[in-house]
Amino acid sequence: MTTHFVVHEPGDSVGVVVVEGIKKGDKLNGWVMDGDSTMEFETLSDIPIGHKIALKDLAVGDTVIKYGTDIGKVVQPIRRGEHLHVHNIKTKRW
């Protein structure tokens, strides 16, 4: 079984895509490193390698958690399986 994305901690709201060529509609396998568990779902977006994928639905204003750490806030609704990047999340620093 191919691992398409990795998640560092069970409470993270995003995973990181680790293979090239992820297309909308692909069925993805994810590995949660802390606890050594897996998850599976369909992607709703094309997602480049190294970019983030939503593990759950996120509303405007929600905090995005990666590596157990707050990495920003949602500025546009995001559904599970969608691409997260500068178009829908922003840092809280500015």
Side-chain angles (χ1 to χ4, degrees), residues 6-80:
V6 295
V7 180
H8 288 264
E9 299 186 20
D12 288 353
S13 53
V14 300
V16 178
V17 171
V18 296
V19 297
E20 292 188 35
I22 300 297
K23 300 293 182 196
K24 180 180 179 178
D26 288 349
K27 192 170 197 173
L28 304 182
N29 297 303
W31 175 45
V32 182
M33 296 166 66
D34 184 359
D36 193 26
S37 62
T38 60
M39 60 176 60
E40 182 180 276
F41 56 86
E42 185 176 304
T43 183
L44 302 178
S45 310
D46 296 352
I47 306 174
I49 189 170
H51 285 231
K52 295 173 288 300
I53 185 169
L55 304 179
K56 62 181 186 175
D57 292 344
L58 298 164
V60 172
D62 284 352
T63 295
V64 179
I65 304 294
K66 178 181 170 187
Y67 311 130
T69 303
D70 176 343
I71 64 162
K73 66 179 177 180
V74 176
V75 296
Q76 182 178 26
I78 305 166
R79 294 182 302 161
R80 180 181 186 197

